[in-house]
Amino acid sequence: MVRVRFQRPDGSEAACDVPAGLSLMEAALNNGVDEIIADCGGALSCATCHVYVDDGWMDRTGAPSEIEEEMLEFAVDRRPNSRLSCQIKLGEGLDGLSVALPQRQQ
Ligand code: FES
C-alpha cells in the first residue's frame, strides 16, 4: 500500500492508503477527495486533476511529459510544482507523498 496525503486549501488534510499502481487521481477519487474533478478520467485532456507537489517530493514524482506540460497551460493558478495527478503513478517509492490541492480546478 502507498500512503498519500492531500492538503486542502482550508488547511485540513485527507490521507489515504491505496494499492500501488493506481494514479494519484484515482487515489483521490476513490477516497472522496472532491477537489479532484478529473473530467476526462485520466485521458490527459482536461487539467481538472491539478495538484501542487510538495517540495520534498518533486524529484521522486519526476517531471511532467511534454503533453502534460501542454495541458498544464489550462490549469488554474499554475505553479512551478504543478502536476496533473492522473499522470503520477503511485509506486512504493512514493509512499508518504504529500500534495496540495488548488483553490479551484476551473
Ligand atoms: S484527469 Fe483529465 S487531465 Fe488528468
Side-chain angles (χ1 to χ4, degrees):
M1 298 292 271
V2 179
R3 170 152 282 233
V4 292
R5 294 181 300 139
F6 297 92
Q7 315 296 330
R8 292 194 157 101
D10 68 2
S12 65
E13 178 182 286
C16 50
D17 296 304
V18 299
L22 287 187
S23 71
L24 182 59
M25 174 273 280
E26 291 169 320
L29 294 187
N30 292 351
N31 289 278
V33 179
D34 297 335
E35 291 85 350
I36 298 295
I37 298 170
D39 272 337
C40 77
L44 200 44
S45 59
C46 74
T48 61
C49 63
H50 178 207
V51 297
Y52 304 116
V53 176
D54 281 12
D55 284 347
W57 291 95
M58 294 279 287
D59 286 349
R60 279 179 269 185
T61 54
S65 68
E66 196 173 323
I67 299 171
E68 183 182 345
E69 280 284 0
E70 288 173 14
M71 281 311 300
L72 278 166
E73 297 295 324
F74 298 96
V76 178
D77 298 329
R78 182 183 179 180
R79 299 178 190 163
N81 60 340
S82 288
R83 289 294 309 273
L84 296 178
S85 59
C86 67
Q87 299 303 300
I88 298 177
K89 190 156 203 169
L90 295 171
E92 298 296 340
L94 291 180
D95 186 30
L97 174 65
S98 177
V99 299
L101 297 161
Q103 287 281 351
R104 60 191 180 95
Q105 293 285 358
Q106 51 194 355

